[in-house]
């Protein structure tokens, strides 16, 4: 009787181990995936039209909603420049947006370090979580300029 159960038990154990290895492999691939981001340099104004209406376009609805929820004094926001890029886990990338350099380091698990630099040097460094659907807003080199960072597909 013991020999009849051994092949079935062995098959169950092999299947269970295979499932565990597949699940572990999927999790490690997801954890090591690149972080795909979009960085936008945004200007705030109380005017209905942007300062240079031939270049700037209104921010998307999700960005406008986020900026309007912050204690800012402007009622309208426009994209000055925008870049999409990806960063592997543990690495960093610098993108130029207008007169600002935006350096982002991917710490893994949606954690990022963002450093904004301008003509006069580093403006600020911030660390935080950037999950899908979440926006990360930080000041740029002037009082009405902001850098908005979000995950994209």
């Amino acid at each position: 009787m013991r020999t009849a159960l051994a092949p079935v038990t062995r098959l169950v154990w092999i299947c269970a181990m295979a499932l565990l290895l597949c699940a572990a492999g999927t999790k490690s691939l997801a954890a090591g995936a690149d972080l795909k981001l979009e960085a936008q340099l945004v200007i705030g104004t109380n005017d209905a039209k942007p300062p240079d209406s031939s270049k700037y376009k209104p921010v998307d609805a999700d960005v406008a909603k986020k900026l309007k929820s912050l204690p800012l004094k402007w009622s309208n926001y426009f994209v000055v420049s925008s870049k999409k890029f990806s960063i592997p886990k543990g690495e960093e990338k610098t993108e130029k947006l207008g007169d600002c350099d935006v350096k982002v380091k991917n710490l893994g698990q949606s954690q990022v370090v963002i450093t904004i630099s301008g003509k006069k040097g580093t403006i600020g460094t911030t660390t935080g979580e950037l999950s899908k659907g979440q926006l990360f807003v930080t000041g740029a080199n002037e009082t009405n300029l902001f850098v908005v960072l979000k995950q994209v597909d």
Side-chain angles (χ1 to χ4, degrees):
M1 187 162 167
R2 181 175 170 109
T3 56
L5 289 177
V8 173
T9 305
R10 193 173 314 139
L11 181 62
V12 169
W13 275 106
I14 290 171
C15 289
M17 294 307 284
L19 283 172
L20 285 173
L21 288 174
C22 287
T26 303
K27 190 173 184 177
S28 67
L29 283 175
D34 290 358
L35 188 60
K36 295 176 183 153
L37 303 172
E38 179 179 14
Q40 296 179 335
L41 182 62
V42 174
I43 188 167
T45 181
N46 286 322
D47 298 330
K49 293 186 176 184
D52 185 350
S53 50
S54 65
K55 290 184 182 180
Y56 306 154
K57 62 176 185 165
V59 297
D60 292 337
D62 62 333
V63 176
K65 183 179 177 182
K66 174 68 174 182
L67 291 171
K68 288 179 181 183
S69 75
L70 297 173
L72 302 172
K73 62 182 180 178
W74 299 282
S75 55
N76 298 301
Y77 301 93
F78 300 92
V79 178
V80 175
S81 63
S82 177
K83 298 259 177 110
K84 290 184 179 180
F85 55 99
S86 62
I87 311 167
K89 181 180 174 184
E91 294 187 24
E92 64 185 30
K93 187 162 192 172
T94 302
E95 292 291 340
K96 186 132 185 95
L97 294 175
D99 291 335
C100 296
D101 287 327
V102 179
K103 181 169 67 173
V104 182
K105 182 170 185 178
N106 179 359
L107 301 176
Q109 297 180 341
S110 301
Q111 294 290 319
V112 293
V113 176
I114 303 167
T115 302
I116 309 294
S117 301
K119 292 178 181 177
K120 297 179 182 178
T122 300
I123 297 165
T125 299
T126 307
T127 302
E129 183 176 345
L130 186 60
S131 301
K132 281 216 181 220
Q134 183 181 7
L135 299 175
F136 203 102
V137 179
T138 185
N141 61 349
E142 295 180 31
T143 56
N144 67 333
L145 286 175
F146 311 94
V147 173
V148 176
L149 196 66
K150 62 181 175 179
Q151 279 196 49
V152 293
D153 294 325

